[in-house]
Amino acid sequence: MRYLLTISYDGSDFFGFQRQKDLLTIQGELEKVLSTILQEDIQIVSSGRTDAKVHALGQVAHFDTSKEIKDLDKFVYSVNSMINKAISILSIQEVPGDFHARYSSKEKTYLYKIFLSKGNEPLKRKYYHICSYNLDIDKMQQACKKFLGEHDFTSFCVNNEQLKSNVREIYDIHLEVKNEGKEIDLYVTGNGFLHNMVRSIAGTLIDVGRGRFDIEDIDRIFAEKNHQKAGKTLDGCGLYLVKVIYK
Amino acid sequence: MRYLLTISYDGSDFFGFQRQKDLLTIQGELEKVLSTILQEDIQIVSSGRTDAKVHALGQVAHFDTSKEIKDLDKFVYSVNSMINKAISILSIQEVPGDFHARYSSKEKTYLYKIFLSKGNEPLKRKYYHICSYNLDIDKMQQACKKFLGEHDFTSFCVNNEQLKSNVREIYDIHLEVKNEGKEIDLYVTGNGFLHNMVRSIAGTLIDVGRGRFDIEDIDRIFAEKNHQKAGKTLDGCGLYLVKVIYK
C-alpha cells in the first residue's frame, strides 16, 4: 500500500529535510515514528528536499507499507502524538502504487517572507528575512513580471551538475504587503524549482527594491547564466514550501 | 549615570530573565555585552523577572555606569550588533539616579496568546498556548470582568512566602479574537503581578470557555485563596510582557 502525507514543519532546528546520519532532520524524525507505529522499516519520498531552516506549510511525501492503515484519522493522531512537535502531519490518504511524491507533482508554491526593520527582531528572526533597507515595492512588483513564464534559471540557482536542464516555468509570482508595509510576502508558483531558486529570486528582488539593480538588469542576469550576477541568495529561515499540486 | 533600556526578546531558548550561573539567560547575555562595551562590570535591574520561555515586547531595565554614553543611538546599534539575536534593545535613555526599573513602575501590561487547534502547530508552538478545546468566547469575555479591580490573587499565583500581600489591582483585562476565531489574545494590565498570575488567569479563563468552570466559580476560587482551585497554569511560551509604565 502507498500512502501520501501532507506535512507542516518549523525548519528552524533541523538540518534540512533529507535524512543524515546523527543529525536532526525532518525525514529522519518522520521515518523513526512511522517505522515504530507500523513495526517495519519505513522510508519516505518527499516532493523535494528543503534546506536547513526552511519551513513547510504543505510538504508532501509518500511511503510504502505492507500494512493497511484502517483508521487514517487515528493514524495521524498517533504520529502527531509521538513525533517531534516541530513537525505535524496534516493529513494522510491512500494513493495508487504509481503515484510518486516527486515525479507526479506538476506545480509547487513557495512563500518567501521579508520583514523590514533596522533592529534585531527577536520574535521574527527565525521566520523572516530581516531586511534593513528601504524598498521601492512598486518597482519590485514590476520586477516580479520578469520572472514569469519559461526561463533558463541558471543565474538563479546553485549549480547542480546532475540536472539536464535549468529551464523552469513560473506560473505566478507576486508580492503581498502586510502589517502597515513592514511585511512583504513573496509568492512563487511554478512547475519546478532549482536549488536555492526562490531564495535567489527574493534576494534579486530586494536588490531591485533598494536600487542596486534596475528592472531591466533582470533580463541581463538571465542572459549571463551566472549565479554570481544575481542578487544575494537569502537565508533559508524566510522560505516556506506552501503546497504541491499533483497531476 | 543611570540608564534605562527597553528590551524585546524571544524567550524560547532562555532559562528566564534572571542571571544563573552557566545557563543562558536574558540578564546574563545583556550584562555580558554591556560590560564589554562599557569596559566595566555592569549589572542590570529589570522591572521584574520573566520565567523560562516567556517573551517580551517591552521589558524595561536600568543600569549604572561611571561612563557617559554620548551617542545613544550608536550605543543601541552596538549592543544589538554584539548581542544574542534573540534579544533586541529597542531604546535607551538617561534617567535620574532615583529611578528604579522595578520600584518606580506603576503599571504593567501582559499578553497571553492562545491558538485553537487540534494539531501540533509547528510554527506556533513556541509563541502560543495551543488549545484543542472548543471555547465559548462570550463566556470568557464575561469572566474577564471578575478579575477587574482590587483582589487578593492568592488563588492565581504560585505561593511566595516573602510577599507581604497578594492584593493587586487589575485596570484592564480583555480578549481580542483574531485570525477567523483561531487566535485569542488575552491582555491584562495592572499595578503589579504575582508569580504565574497571568498564566493562571489564562488557564482559568480557558476552563470557563470549555465549560469546566462557570463564571461564578471565579468568585469562589478568589475566596478559597488556594492555587489548587484555579485552572491550570498555562505554559510560559504564550506569555509576553508588553509594556511597563512608570510614575
Side-chain angles (χ1 to χ4, degrees), chain B residues 89-129:
Chain B
I89 305 293
L90 303 177
S91 66
I92 183 171
Q93 62 184 99
E94 200 187 328
V95 285
D98 62 353
F99 174 93
H100 193 283
R102 184 160 173 206
Y103 302 124
S104 308
S105 83
K106 64 167 187 158
E107 191 179 310
K108 266 187 192 179
T109 298
Y110 279 98
L111 162 63
Y112 196 92
K113 288 174 84 71
I114 298 163
F115 194 83
L116 301 181
S117 169
K118 313 241 182 250
N120 278 354
E121 295 302 333
L123 292 154
K124 304 230 175 330
R125 75 199 194 288
K126 292 184 177 174
Y127 305 98
Y128 294 81
H129 169 73

Side-chain angles (χ1 to χ4, degrees), chain A residues 42-54:
Chain A
I42 301 292
Q43 301 210 348
I44 63 172
V45 176
S46 72
S47 74
R49 303 163 193 169
T50 51
D51 286 337
K53 305 199 183 304
V54 175

